[in-house]
């Protein structure tokens, strides 16, 4: 009976070691998989953010170039306001309406109006 009990305990200990080993292996694989998914997701988010920032900079540059070419001036206050815009939709709306401006004052009203409209 004692032999049977010792055999049973050894078998239980072996099973426990195998189970613990599998558990640790699963945890390590899970960590590695999570890290890999995190890296991929981080890269994609970074690329998307970079594309968005690039598009915003292009819109800002287009607005400022248009002011200079259309009206022969690029007022410093408007340049400062445009450079501070961090919403691509506002930049798009400004650019859509800016082509209708006949004077620098109308252009100023469009730019300042779109900025103010966003604050409300």
């Amino acid at each position: 009976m004692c032999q049977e009990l010792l055999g049973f305990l050894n078998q239980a200990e072996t099973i426990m070691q195998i189970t613990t080993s599998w558990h640790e292996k699963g945890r390590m694989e899970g960590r590695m998989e999570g890290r890999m998914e995190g890296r991929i997701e981080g890269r994609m988010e970074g690329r998307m953010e970079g594309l968005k920032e690039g598009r915003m900079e292009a819109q800002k540059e287009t607005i400022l170039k248009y002011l200079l070419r259309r009206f022969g001036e690029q007022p410093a206050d408007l340049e400062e306001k445009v450079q501070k815009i961090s919403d691509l939709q506002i930049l798009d709306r400004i650019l859509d309406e800016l082509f209708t401006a006949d004077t620098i004052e109308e252009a100023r009203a469009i730019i300042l109006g779109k900025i103010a409209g966003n604050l409300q």
Side-chain angles (χ1 to χ4, degrees):
M1 173 122 172
C2 207
Q3 284 290 51
E4 287 178 24
L5 184 58
L6 283 176
F8 178 75
L9 290 175
N10 283 338
Q11 196 176 29
E13 186 177 324
T14 301
I15 291 171
M16 191 64 147
Q17 288 174 349
I18 291 170
T19 303
T20 302
S21 172
W22 286 347
H23 181 71
E24 287 300 316
K25 183 179 178 188
R27 286 178 62 188
M28 284 179 39
E29 288 175 359
R31 284 187 196 129
M32 288 175 53
E33 187 176 317
R35 287 182 186 138
M36 183 63 75
E37 287 175 6
R39 286 183 188 132
I40 291 169
E41 187 176 311
R43 285 182 189 143
M44 289 184 68
E45 286 177 11
R47 286 183 184 139
M48 295 302 292
E49 186 66 26
L51 289 171
K52 181 180 175 183
E53 286 178 24
R55 186 157 178 236
M56 281 195 311
E57 289 305 312
Q59 292 290 64
K60 290 175 185 181
E61 186 176 323
T62 301
I63 290 168
L64 296 173
K65 277 185 179 181
Y66 180 79
L67 292 175
L68 184 60
R69 295 203 182 188
R70 174 74 167 92
F71 305 111
E73 60 180 305
Q74 187 177 356
D77 66 317
L78 287 183
E79 181 177 356
E80 182 181 337
K81 296 279 188 194
V82 169
Q83 290 296 350
K84 287 183 179 180
I85 299 171
S86 60
D87 186 326
L88 188 57
Q89 288 181 340
I90 294 173
L91 291 166
D92 285 340
R93 287 186 211 130
I94 289 171
L95 201 51
D96 285 344
E97 287 190 34
L98 197 58
F99 297 112
T100 65
D102 291 323
T103 65
I104 191 68
E105 289 76 23
E106 288 178 9
R108 180 185 310 281
I110 290 169
I111 292 169
L112 297 179
K114 293 299 176 194
I115 292 171
N118 187 57
L119 297 176
Q120 298 174 357

